Amino acid sequence: MTNELPTLEPEVFRRQAHQLVDWMADYLRRVGTLPVQPSAPPGAVRSQLPAEAPDRPEGFERIIRDFEAIIMPGMTHWGHPRFFAYFPANSSPPSILAEMLTATLGAQCMSWNTSPAATELEQVTMDWLRKLVGLPDAFTGVIQDTASTATLVALITARDEALRRHDAKAPGADPRRHGEPPVSIDRLTVYASEEAHSSVAKGARMAGFGPDRVRAIPADDRFAMRETLLATAIEADRKAGLIPACVVATVGTTSTTGIDPVPAIAAMCRRESIWLHIDAAWGGSAAILPEMRWIFEGADQADSLVFNPHKWMLVNFDCTAYFVRDRDALRRSFATSPAFLKAEHDDRVVNYRDWGIQLGRRFRSLKLWFVIRTFGVDGIRAMIREHIRLGRLLAEWVEQDGRFELMAPAPLALVVFRYLGEDAGKGGDPGGEREIDMLNERLLQRLHAGGRIMLTQTRAKGKYAIRLALGHLTTREEDVRSAWETIRSAAAELEDTGGAGSGNQGRGE
Ligand SMILES: *Cc1c(COP(=O)(O)O)cnc(C)c1O
């Protein structure tokens, strides 16, 4: 045992950092030549690592050697140009560099006082984003870690507002309610499309809404919430003495890019005093294109909205943009002011610790600022526009090939399809639904065994379907073309091998 104290040696750090920057640049150059995902079985990485933490210091060279030999072979390469699974987690050089600075500064950005520049840069960059996607200045932005967290925050705020509105003792309460018992959360209901992301039901559960109080509204054949069924559900709940508290509308569902009819839903929510939260986690970035602004039609009437610059705007995970209309309501739900956090300028500044769940916050606006300035809004628009073009191109190829079926409209850059078999291409019977499901499961397994591309599966109207999502800086038409060729030849080879396989089922993400 030694009592040697750890020290900070800037010159050692400099040497090691230079070495790593070289590694990083090389990685970015060669990532497209690696298999997209590892082939090692579960436990392969863990079994190579010691069960106990080292007592003695270990050298940098040794750590890096193990990183190369043990960790890297177990990585899925999200930045690979042919990573088409889930929705991409973005990274880009300016974002990576800003992350290095964020890590170096190591600042806690919970209050203005703890990092004034971080708070003010967050205000400025969130306002840039708000304008870029066309939200009115009634909205204020705050960075959250993920869309799941932002949706939970929206649900909690909606819950508190509904309870407050129905509390006879609250300031400004309806005098006719005087003497009525306080409303219990058991009476509050939440609505989202059956195609909504799993984070909505999870958030509702965590926010304390009863599982039998969360309504999944059926979607139409374009995977958009059927607004008439929403109206029916709200009316039925009111009749039963329940209190509709929140509707979550999705702009760009995870499985199939369904776009809920926000204008009609927003009008309903205004009329009924229901909190409207819009989940545009992936699709929202497209609203920075003037020609795609329509996806946010009606969003100016919402109470809150979330989208992820970390999914389609070149910003490294994590960076979620959450916009809220009534920031006082948000703060009513999340503000705390323990004595140890009180500071001189509290009455004049924004303390983002009061705008969400976490107390401690990373300096996330720095990477957003680096990215927007480095590429310019024009550059980011050009990339998203190109991804949308590539998505439509692929959707056309799918439609032109009689052996494949396009399973959903592809308005953004997500293409959902399935393989029907060689016979279907010749005008024959594609076989039963169960056989087609199994065929596509096998197709995906074969594609993943090849290591050239990575996709995910989903269910579209109960049918097994394959999703191909675009969103990475380096993905080019040749990558999409080569992915399509890979898919077609893997499908053709399936016919030769036969036999059913079993794979993972479930939603895209
Ligand atoms: C990806 C996604 C989410 C979850 O995003 P996180 O930031 O990972 O929590 C939520 N909603 C939709 C529609 C998504 O596509």
Side-chain angles (χ1 to χ4, degrees):
M1 223 200 288
T2 68
N3 278 323
E4 214 173 299
L5 282 178
T7 53
L8 171 68
E9 291 170 60
E11 292 313 314
V12 174
F13 173 75
R14 185 191 311 279
R15 208 173 53 241
Q16 294 170 347
H18 281 159
Q19 188 183 332
L20 282 197
V21 166
D22 282 339
W23 187 94
M24 289 154 74
D26 289 340
Y27 174 76
L28 294 180
R29 200 184 49 215
R30 75 190 163 95
V31 59
T33 66
L34 302 172
V36 190
Q37 57 181 332
S39 51
V45 173
R46 196 171 171 185
S47 68
Q48 297 177 72
L49 299 169
E52 308 296 334
D55 282 324
R56 301 282 308 141
E58 294 190 74
F60 180 72
E61 298 302 331
R62 242 188 108 178
I63 300 171
I64 293 302
R65 214 169 45 236
D66 285 347
F67 169 72
E68 292 264 25
I70 303 172
I71 306 301
M72 280 302 284
M75 289 307 294
T76 296
H77 299 289
W78 282 70
H80 195 293
R82 290 187 306 280
F83 179 97
F84 301 114
Y86 310 99
F87 287 125
N90 280 180
S91 86
S92 65
S95 179
I96 297 167
L97 295 175
E99 284 278 28
M100 289 163 70
L101 293 182
T102 291
T104 305
L105 293 171
Q108 261 289 2
C109 309
M110 52 199 171
S111 311
W112 180 87
N113 187 55
T114 65
S115 283
T119 299
E120 295 183 21
L121 187 62
E122 183 161 339
Q123 291 178 292
V124 170
T125 49
M126 284 287 98
D127 219 41
W128 286 0
L129 279 189
R130 176 184 66 72
K131 291 175 189 167
L132 285 177
V133 299
L135 286 177
D137 60 9
F139 285 86
T140 315
V142 50
I143 301 181
Q144 306 277 358
D145 53 7
T146 60
S148 305
T149 302
T151 293
L152 172 59
V153 164
L155 286 160
I156 289 172
T157 317
R159 174 198 74 193
D160 293 351
E161 285 305 288
L163 292 175
R164 206 171 65 88
R165 264 200 319 276
H166 288 82
D167 179 357
K169 293 202 196 73
D174 184 345
R176 287 168 299 181
R177 293 192 181 280
H178 184 74
E180 283 181 27
V183 162
S184 132
I185 189 173
D186 300 342
R187 284 176 60 198
L188 304 186
T189 50
V190 174
Y191 309 80
S193 134
E194 62 182 349
E195 296 289 326
H197 191 265
S198 54
S199 60
V200 178
K202 179 173 170 177
R205 191 170 75 211
M206 287 191 289
F209 295 98
D212 58 339
R213 296 291 188 248
V214 182
R215 315 275 177 247
I217 308 297
D220 63 18
D221 56 5
R222 299 176 70 81
F223 305 93
M225 190 198 290
R226 292 175 60 184
E227 75 220 38
T228 50
L229 297 184
L230 173 65
T232 313
I234 290 173
E235 202 188 314
D237 284 338
R238 288 241 192 257
K239 278 213 178 97
L242 302 176
I243 300 168
C246 188
V247 174
V248 180
T250 309
V251 171
T253 58
T254 311
S255 278
T256 53
T257 11
I259 298 176
D260 289 346
V262 174
I265 295 172
M268 211 180 300
C269 289
R270 291 262 119 177
R271 230 173 18 244
E272 301 267 347
S273 298
I274 303 172
W275 186 284
L276 172 58
H277 174 63
I278 297 180
D279 177 4
W282 174 67
S285 295
I288 72 165
L289 298 180
E291 69 271 26
M292 295 305 292
R293 262 300 161 72
W294 60 268
I295 63 172
F296 274 174
E297 207 191 323
D300 57 330
Q301 297 297 309
D303 294 286
S304 55
L305 180 148
V306 62
F307 78 93
N308 283 343
H310 70 230
K311 269 181 175 166
W312 204 5
M313 223 186 243
L314 297 166
V315 183
N316 271 70
F317 188 83
D318 48 0
C319 181
T320 287
Y322 179 62
F323 294 95
V324 63
R325 176 190 296 281
D326 184 351
R327 53 192 211 160
D328 292 334
L330 178 68
R331 283 201 304 256
R332 271 196 294 276
S333 291
F334 293 98
T336 52
S337 53
F340 79 101
L341 287 176
K342 288 213 187 345
E344 190 187 348
H345 300 293
D346 277 351
D347 51 344
R348 292 199 284 132
V349 297
V350 161
N351 285 323
Y352 280 125
R353 64 168 195 262
D354 294 340
W355 292 55
I357 293 167
Q358 325 172 245
L359 170 63
R361 305 174 84 246
R362 297 181 70 233
F363 190 177
R364 294 195 188 89
S365 57
L366 194 66
K367 55 191 171 183
L368 192 53
W369 191 54
F370 268 49
V371 164
I372 297 174
R373 294 187 63 187
T374 302
F375 296 109
V377 174
D378 286 348
I380 301 172
R381 284 193 176 124
M383 181 196 74
I384 293 180
R385 194 173 274 135
E386 174 66 357
H387 289 159
I388 293 176
R389 184 186 75 83
L390 294 177
R392 291 184 181 158
L393 193 61
L394 175 63
E396 272 170 37
W397 295 339
V398 171
E399 283 192 303
Q400 282 160 11
D401 189 326
R403 297 168 303 166
F404 288 84
E405 182 183 6
L406 192 65
M407 300 298 283
L412 301 179
L414 168 66
V415 184
V416 186
F417 61 91
R418 66 175 181 167
Y419 178 55
L420 297 170
E422 291 300 311
D423 289 349
K426 302 181 193 109
D429 179 7
E433 288 299 341
R434 222 186 110 63
E435 282 72 49
I436 300 177
D437 281 1
M438 287 188 325
L439 191 62
N440 282 275
E441 247 180 77
R442 282 168 46 221
L443 173 57
L444 195 61
Q445 277 167 7
R446 174 171 283 266
L447 285 167
H448 286 169
R452 281 188 47 79
I453 60 176
M454 185 168 169
L455 306 158
T456 27
Q457 76 290 330
T458 190
R459 291 224 160 240
K461 297 289 169 201
K463 296 166 181 169
Y464 188 100
I466 296 176
R467 294 167 77 261
L468 187 152
L470 296 151
H472 199 266
L473 177 63
T474 58
T475 301
R476 293 285 176 270
E477 181 169 332
E478 71 221 44
D479 296 304
V480 178
R481 205 173 276 281
S482 119
W484 179 231
E485 283 314 313
T486 305
I487 292 164
R488 285 179 2 146
S489 46
E493 285 161 23
L494 270 187
E495 301 288 326
D496 306 334
T497 55
S502 65
N504 295 330
Q505 292 195 9
R507 302 234 154 205
E509 189 175 343

